Amino acid sequence: MQPENTNLQAPWLDKEAENAETIGGDNASPDFKQVVEEGLQRRDLIKGLFTGAAIAASGAIAAPTAQAAASTGLTFKPIKLSKGNDYIDVPEGYDAGLVIAWGNPVTQNAPEFDPTRQNGVNGSQQFGYNCDMITYHSLPAWNSTNSRRGLLCVNHEYTDPVAMFPSYTTPTKDQVDAELAAHGVSIVEVEEFFGVWQYNANSRFNRRLTGETEMLITGPAAGDELMATSVDRTGTRVRGTLNNCAGGQTPWGTMLTAEENFNQYFGNRATMPTGVNRDNMTRLGTVGGATARRWESFYDRFDQTKEPNEANRFGWIVEIDPYDPNSIPKKRTALGRCKHECATTTIAKNGQVVVYSGDDERFDYLYKFVTAGTFNPDNRAANMDLLDRGVLYVAKFNSDGTGQWLPAVHNQGPLTMANGWRNQADVLIRLRQAGDALGATKMDRPEDVEVNPVTGLVYLACTNNTLRGVGASPGVDAANPRANNRSGHIIEIKESGNDHTRDTFNWGIFMLCGDPDDKAQGTYFAGAPREKVSPIGAPDNVAFDNQGNLWIGTDGMESALGWHDAIYACVTEGPDRGTLLPFMSMPIGAETCGPTFTPDNETFFMAVQHPGEGGTYAQPTSRWPYGSGTIPRPGVVFVKKSWGRGTVGS
Ligand code: FEO
Ligand code: CA
Ligand code: CA
Ligand code: CA
């Protein structure tokens, strides 16, 4: 249900600029001020971009935390941001509880966690390390909306061996195997009893997918010469998935998980054959010599000199059907290869499915994929290979608030044989270079993307880019308006005609994150005044509730602003647009990941990633979640209203 005050249109689409004279504050950097002023001037031309209030507007007295306005639809009392607390804080009237943590048994008959007995066999039966994305899939069926029982799909981004193992210098084979097993995905059945979520260790759905699980390569790049290795000359089968960051859930009930910083696992680029493949690996940042992890010491596939194509089989979106424990995951190459942060789906008006994905690197791009076929709500099987055919686009943000989706399609624009592009597989495998050739806009680390379920507007979190405008790096532009962008920003996009299949759009800055009292950096909260917002830095994972409030999780707020990472709820429409309320803070060293709601919005799940980051096994800096005498263990948490019932946030 809509909050009473919500109108259904983003203010920047129909309101004129106001208060332009206070843009950026007195101390805003010249670059920042100029770019934003240009943005506001052009707004007159396109009839409204930002809402009324100015960037870093005026000198309202800072309140310690924002206060919920009764009219926002958000009724919780915001928490105070944390410094030094080694626990999770949630608002009064809410409870948080642990669902599952690193090492807990997942598959039937899995051993209990013993940090002194870590190896590939044990690890591949237990919950992995550094949980990131969460999707909730109702049981009993993909199209049910049960909010009390379902499958949690959780991915495991990376391992931190000095925190995991009692001793770690040069890794042993058991340690490497334990790390491979601690990557990937866990699927566990979960159920709520009287307001408390628990996982069922005996469910037949429970499953571990690791860095060693066999997966299929599908779509245009399957079988290409750059995908073939000595072990798989067909270029269609690959072992495992690595560095899964955010992801998404399809309308047909599968999980999409995005391979992000896969480059770090592949060493010895400097001695691999020169040419197109090596140049592309350089663009993606695989390791020139020995990797820090040294997996190549035990497995040739991580040595690019021995297996120059193995790294081409990573950096994809992987689709997994959690309802079928025997299903084989598929790397969907039609969606391209980069450091995918996420894979967010929406159904366009005509039934085509659109998948948004950011490439999380300084000065890299935002992508979207539009399926050729349409979603069939009556026949699940008919949707299962929708992601193998369609058109992939990369975003260009123009300074006048318009934008284009440029097709990354072979033989279109510069992507021709004459320019060295062999075929569509080549375009997809070398997607970043295709984006370079197309002239896409170099962004400040595109992380998660979400579509507002009420308005259809698309939100992109750009987490930060401290190299913007520094030295020879690209300077500021309209969509990335801050030099040395420590705190990041959020962009709001409206597809032309609110049709997600179109190749043009309009956009505006929704939020320039930071401390609203920091006039030097300058902040902007979609027009909300100081007393309705809070410091926020490094937005990363985002989610929408059913009412169209944007939930924002941070990764790196401590280095940006000194506060622990936190989750916020933000109003996107109506008179309280921009109101930003802290909802949840993390224990020491942890990042917020995977925010997601059950269909009824009465439960909020999130992943606590890398608690105690920077510490070691012998000298942990956090004891979350098990307390005194234990090592920190990444885990999944649920949040509900006390006594278990009621919509989270309102
Ligand atoms: Fe794994 Fe872009 O965060
Ligand atoms: Ca992330
Ligand atoms: Ca998300
Ligand atoms: Ca991040």
Side-chain angles (χ1 to χ4, degrees), residues 155-180:
N155 64 24
H156 304 288
E157 185 174 12
Y158 66 98
T159 47
D160 183 1
V162 297
M164 291 170 66
F165 301 117
S167 77
Y168 179 87
T169 47
T170 303
T172 64
K173 183 163 183 298
D174 268 349
Q175 288 176 328
V176 169
D177 289 342
E179 288 193 76
L180 273 159

Side-chain angles (χ1 to χ4, degrees), residues 20-31:
E21 68 279 6
T22 59
I23 298 159
D26 291 342
N27 301 321
S29 74
D31 278 349

Side-chain angles (χ1 to χ4, degrees), residues 448-450 541-543 595:
D448 205 0
V449 180
E450 286 292 339
N541 288 174
V542 289

